Amino acid sequence: PVCVILSAYAAGSSGERNGRLRSMKVGLQTMIICVIIVIILLIPLGIKARESQIQIIDLIPLIIVLSIAGIGYGYANINALPVVWQLAPEDRIGIYTGIYYMFTAGAAIVNPILMSSIYSLLRLLGIDQWISLFPYMLFMIIVSRLVLGKAKRGDAELPKEKIEELKTRFEQDD
């Protein structure tokens, strides 16, 4: 969470400057690369952990890679809602926002259930269930990237006059 918070301003600025969809794609690609590296790093760490020879210094590369993945997550997540708003007709922004949050909450409910089912199945088969976490994560991020690749709109720019009109309207509401 710390890396997401620290990268929030940069992610939003990148979205404005380079396009929100592009920033989201870069964030997801960063996460894909980082998760692959984490999977590779976990192989020797798993051996050391089983032999009780793991030390904090062994975890530093893992912490660095996961921190970079957190920045990638920030780029993807921080730009998502503005894309939803840009896709929504002006009179339906609330509906689109509700749908966005419904799917976000749905994923937060379904993924732990799905992951625990995979854990249970692997445990029944006698396989170390923790080994499945990062491949599962990698699969889900790749699916997200493929779905996002289908998006053709979402970077609509508002004319300066419209931005000023919205600012005035919202300042009056305060």
Side-chain angles (χ1 to χ4, degrees), residues 11-143:
S13 296
S14 172
E16 283 183 20
R17 189 175 50 256
N18 303 317
R20 297 199 185 278
L21 290 175
R22 186 174 185 185
S23 292
M24 290 174 68
K25 289 174 185 176
V26 166
L28 290 172
Q29 290 163 337
T30 301
M31 290 173 64
I32 289 169
I33 292 166
C34 287
V35 172
I36 290 170
I37 293 170
V38 165
I39 291 170
I40 293 167
L41 289 173
L42 285 176
I43 295 168
L45 283 177
I47 294 167
K48 282 186 172 188
R50 277 191 285 283
E51 297 171 359
S52 299
Q53 295 178 355
I54 197 163
Q55 297 176 2
I56 193 73
I57 196 150
D58 298 324
L59 298 176
I60 291 174
L62 187 64
I63 292 167
I64 291 169
V65 173
L66 288 173
S67 297
I68 295 169
I71 293 169
Y73 176 78
Y75 272 69
N77 196 32
I78 288 165
N79 287 296
L81 191 55
V83 168
V84 170
W85 290 342
Q86 290 170 349
L87 289 171
E90 191 173 327
D91 61 334
R92 298 198 181 256
I93 289 175
I95 293 169
Y96 277 58
T97 302
I99 292 169
Y100 168 80
Y101 281 119
M102 180 184 71
F103 276 96
T104 301
I109 293 167
V110 170
N111 268 313
I113 295 168
L114 185 57
M115 194 65 232
S116 346
S117 300
I118 292 169
Y119 275 11
S120 297
L121 177 64
L122 291 175
R123 181 185 278 160
L124 285 173
L125 296 173
I127 301 170
D128 182 11
Q129 72 267 22
W130 299 106
I131 202 82
S132 63
L133 178 63
F134 287 101
Y136 176 82
M137 182 188 296
L138 179 63
F139 174 76
M140 290 301 176
I141 297 168
I142 289 171
V143 169

